[in-house]
DNA sequence: CGCGTTATTTTGATTAGTCAAAATAAATCT
DNA sequence: AGATTTATTTTGACTAATCAAAATAACGCG
């Protein structure tokens, strides 16, 4: 009866498409069934079955035994889901004052239930934000994303002033750690030392106490040069 | 994995329980399978099957061939759903400034996806409202409802000043009509004429123009004596 | 190249929720 | 009371999404 979004995809379908987009790193590399299954917390056989169905609907292209990626239509749907997810997260943090380390799971739930009408109101209420509280870009209603390539704490220049633009890890543990260490989007800092042999990166905020983190973790924190 | 609400009921189960509560008029009369099936837009056989399953879970008591009503546990769940529904409606109207004639369907979608955490924040943001924009009471977190029995425009005294407390019809057409006629919750008026033979009721706001409506419609507008 | 490891696909079963249509019980009306 | 109407229940079948486990294909290494 109610046709909120054109050609209503089930929330399962939406999750598959979203995850394929996120795993292909907004690029066009094939996503393996194993990775997809892990991300969606199903067994690989389930992913295969579902992907074949999605391919039959023209939402993905499947190269059996190699992987899957999105068609233009699949990408359109996936971007819609991501837009909803990120606007909801922004709302939860900016309006409901929830902790930015806990909103991901909440948004995961709501992203499939919110209508375009409500979403547009929310978007307006929030002032049409370009990024969510994690610093992830919010696609527009028409599926455009600010494609910008950032350095990470693992790759950037030493001693240069940097601003954190984004944390690309959604796990509560990691976000909790980042929060505790003052590594939030918007914060100003510099990398004072990077020991690739030991896999350690040391960062400093102004003259204050240093924080040391592993190379892998450092790679999840995107930064832009400042001043 | 995520256990938002204790003993997570599927949204189908939630809908059945909610509808049983609403159809039994918050009372304890048995709800017929026919009425339940109509309300949920399924065929009667489906309702029977589902009700048997709910009975097996201890959420309802089913007297085969006669009807169904809620157990204490089923009622608890149903009141939770209704609380979520009405708080969401209130949010959509008061914060997102949506039209009160269109929020019902939206809330229907969101009520199954919102977590208790988010709901509590919403509740606080809205100032712990006692009723939604239709005037329907919002159950507390602990399942208490302001049980108050109101007169309707079909039953109240003539010429007495009245305040509209609630509209008990969710159909957009009816709400649209009520809106157009200035029959919103909170409005002050009096019934100047009631012709039971013709099935007509005439109401007047102050000395202004009269509005005439059918007896059935009048029965859907709850009022309380004023001054 | 051939053999073992690893990832993917297939197959067969399961669960929740649904419908269509036949069977049955209750209510109603002479 | 008996016959007919009406509501409810049962039966069998279907769809979406899933898992377990067997079958198959690709990869990598000596």
């Amino acid at each position: 009866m109610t046709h909120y979004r054109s050609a209503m995809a089930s929330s399962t379908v939406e999750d598959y498409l979203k995850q394929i987009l996120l795993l292909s790193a907004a690029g066009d590399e094939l996503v393996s069934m194993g990775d997809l299954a892990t991300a969606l917390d199903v067994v690989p056989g389930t992913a295969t079955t579902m992907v074949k169905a999605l391919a039959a609907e023209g939402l993905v292209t499947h190269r059996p035994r190699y992987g899957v990626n999105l068609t233009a239509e699949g990408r359109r749907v996936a971007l819609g889901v991501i837009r909803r997810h990120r606007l909801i997260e922004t709302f939860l943090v900016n309006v409901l004052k929830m902790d930015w380390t806990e909103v991901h799971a909440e948004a995961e739930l709501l992203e499939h239930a919110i209508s375009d009408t409500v979403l547009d109101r929310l978007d307006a209420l929030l002032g049409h934000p370009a990024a969510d509280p994690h610093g992830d870009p919010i696609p527009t209603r028409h599926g455009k994303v600010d494609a910008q390539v950032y350095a990470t704490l693992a790759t950037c220049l030493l001693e240069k002033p940097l601003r954190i633009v984004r944390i690309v890890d959604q796990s509560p543990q990691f976000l909790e750690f980042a929060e505790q260490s003052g590594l939030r989007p918007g914060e100003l800092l510099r990398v004072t030392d990077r020991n690739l042999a030991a896999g350690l990166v040391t960062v400093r905020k102004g003259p204050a106490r240093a924080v040391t983190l592993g190379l892998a973790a450092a790679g999840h924190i995107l930064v832009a040069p400042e001043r």
Side-chain angles (χ1 to χ4, degrees), chain A residues 18 21-22 77-87 137 139:
Chain A
K18 178 180 72 167
L21 194 151
L22 293 176
V77 175
L79 283 172
V81 181
I82 290 172
R83 172 176 163 78
R84 300 201 297 272
H85 182 98
R86 294 186 179 161
L87 275 174

Side-chain angles (χ1 to χ4, degrees), chain A residues 5-15 17 54 57 59 77 81 84 112:
Chain A
R5 282 182 286 280
S6 51
M8 199 56 163
S10 75
S11 65
T12 305
V13 167
E14 289 190 341
D15 278 336
L17 297 176
L54 294 177
E57 301 224 355
L59 294 165
V77 175
V81 181
R84 300 201 297 272
H112 304 297

Side-chain angles (χ1 to χ4, degrees), chain A residues 150-151 160-163 223-227:
Chain A
Y150 293 109
K160 295 287 178 192
L162 304 165
R163 195 170 289 280
V223 293
E226 182 70 10
R227 185 175 347 123

Side-chain angles (χ1 to χ4, degrees), chain A residues 15 19 75 94 102 105 116 222:
Chain A
D15 278 336
Q19 221 53 250
R75 187 181 160 80
N94 294 3
E102 65 177 358
D116 286 343
L222 303 193

Side-chain angles (χ1 to χ4, degrees), chain A residues 85-98:
Chain A
H85 182 98
R86 294 186 179 161
L87 275 174
I88 290 166
E89 280 194 341
T90 307
F91 166 76
L92 295 176
V93 171
N94 294 3
V95 178
L96 294 192
K97 307 296 179 199
M98 293 180 64

Side-chain angles (χ1 to χ4, degrees), chain A residues 17 20 28-31 33 51-64 66-75:
Chain A
L17 297 176
I20 292 169
D28 33 28
E29 319 98 66
L30 290 184
V31 174
M33 289 304 135
V51 162
K52 284 205 303 179
L54 294 177
E57 301 224 355
L59 294 165
V60 304
T61 55
H62 183 205
R63 280 210 40 215
Y66 286 90
V68 64
N69 63 11
L70 298 175
T71 62
E73 174 64 5
R75 187 181 160 80

Side-chain angles (χ1 to χ4, degrees), chain A residues 17 31 44 55 62 77 79 99 118 174 189 191 203 224:
Chain A
L17 297 176
V31 174
H62 183 205
V77 175
L79 283 172
D99 192 311
V118 173
F174 186 77
L189 48 72
V191 174
V203 305

